[in-house]
Amino acid sequence: MLIPHDQLEPDTLTRLIEEFVTRDGTDNGDETPLNTRVERVRHALEKGLAVIVFDPDSGQCQLALRRDVPREWLDD
């Protein structure tokens, strides 16, 4: 299930993005400041390049590139 990013409370969205950009294996030696990485993801969400995926079975949210999401999820 996709969750529109603008339906989340601003603080919740920021925490979700921060968790994503600081997750193990995401920095790859990148020295870019946290705020810059957060803003890049926020911009991708606003442009529709990234989406928030909610798994009702686990109760967890993840960020994903739109191109990596099954097409049927986008059509709902």
Side-chain angles (χ1 to χ4, degrees):
M1 163 188 317
L2 299 183
I3 305 294
H5 73 279
D6 57 358
Q7 297 295 312
L8 294 178
E9 292 290 328
D11 287 344
T12 302
L13 179 60
T14 298
R15 286 192 303 274
L16 178 66
I17 295 171
E18 286 176 348
E19 189 278 327
F20 175 76
V21 300
T22 59
R23 189 177 298 159
D24 286 343
T26 59
D27 64 0
N28 298 318
D30 187 357
E31 301 278 335
T32 305
L34 176 62
N35 289 343
T36 301
R37 290 184 279 156
V38 167
E39 286 308 310
R40 286 179 184 163
V41 172
R42 191 180 307 275
H43 183 71
L45 287 166
E46 291 169 357
K47 291 287 189 181
L49 301 172
V51 294
I52 300 170
V53 179
F54 176 71
D55 178 3
D57 293 331
S58 69
Q60 294 189 352
C61 283
Q62 296 192 76
L63 291 162
L65 291 174
R66 182 179 209 82
R67 68 175 185 238
D68 295 336
V69 174
R71 178 160 299 319
E72 60 269 14
W73 292 8
L74 301 172
D75 294 336
D76 289 342

